[in-house]
Amino acid sequence: MTLLRKLTGVDEFTGWHMAGVMFLFFGTIISVNLVLAYFANSTWTGLVVQNSYVESQRFNEVTALRVKSAELGWQAVVRYDAGTFALTLSRADGRPVHADKVTAMVGHPANSRDDRKLELSAIGGGVYSAGSSLTPGLWQADFEAEAADGTPWRHSIRFRVEE
C-alpha cells in the first residue's frame, strides 16, 4: 500500500486534488489577510497628533513648557474609586498644591473611543476630583494645571482601574 493511499484514501493524485490543495493554501492566506485588514481599520489609528509636521515646528516650545513643569517639582498621585476620579498634588517638600484650574483628558492609551475631558474641582489639601465612570483596564490621564505664578503644569499618568 502506498503512502498516498494511507494518507488520503485515494490511489492517485489528480488535478482536482491539486486544485483543492491550491484553494486551501491561497484561501488560508487570503482569509488571514482579510482578518488583519479588518482589525487594522477598526482599531486605534495610532495617531498621536493630527499633523506631525506642524507639531514638529512646536518642538522647542513644548520642550520649554515641559522643563518649566518639571522645575515646579510637583508630585501627582491618581486614585479612582466608585465613580470618583481624584488627583492629589503636592510639592517636593510634601505641602499641598493649590491650583486654580485643573483639567484632565482621560482615556485608554490604545484607542480614543472612551476619551473624556474632566474639570477637576478642589476638595482641599491638594486633592482635586471629578465624577466619571471608568471601565476596568489601563487608562491614561493627561493633566493641565496652572501654578500661582501662572506657570503651566502638564503631566501624564497611566493607571489601572480594577473591577
Side-chain angles (χ1 to χ4, degrees), residues 136-151:
L138 186 63
W139 290 81
Q140 178 169 324
D142 298 322
F143 296 102
E144 293 184 11
E146 196 169 291
D149 65 356
T151 303

Side-chain angles (χ1 to χ4, degrees), residues 29-103:
I29 292 172
I30 291 169
S31 298
V32 168
N33 283 334
L34 289 173
V35 168
L36 291 175
Y38 168 77
F39 284 116
N41 284 327
S42 65
T43 59
W44 185 51
T45 63
L47 287 178
V48 176
V49 295
Q50 292 299 320
N51 187 328
S52 58
Y53 175 75
V54 171
E55 287 299 313
S56 73
Q57 301 306 303
R58 298 182 51 237
F59 178 78
N60 290 339
E61 177 186 334
V62 170
T63 302
L65 179 65
R66 287 183 180 167
V67 168
K68 285 182 181 182
S69 293
E71 287 173 349
L72 289 172
W74 292 2
Q75 306 295 318
V77 177
V78 171
R79 190 171 25 89
Y80 178 78
D81 187 37
T84 302
F85 178 79
L87 168 71
T88 303
L89 284 177
S90 60
R91 301 181 193 286
D93 61 6
R95 292 182 301 136
V97 170
H98 303 290
D100 292 332
K101 182 179 181 184
V102 179
T103 61

Side-chain angles (χ1 to χ4, degrees), residues 2 5 8 15 24 30 34-35 39 42 46 64 86 88 96 105 130 132 145 147 149 152-153 157:
T2 66
R5 179 134 174 87
T8 62
L24 289 173
I30 291 169
L34 289 173
V35 168
F39 284 116
S42 65
T88 303
M105 179 61 83
S132 184
D149 65 356
W153 178 76
I157 296 178

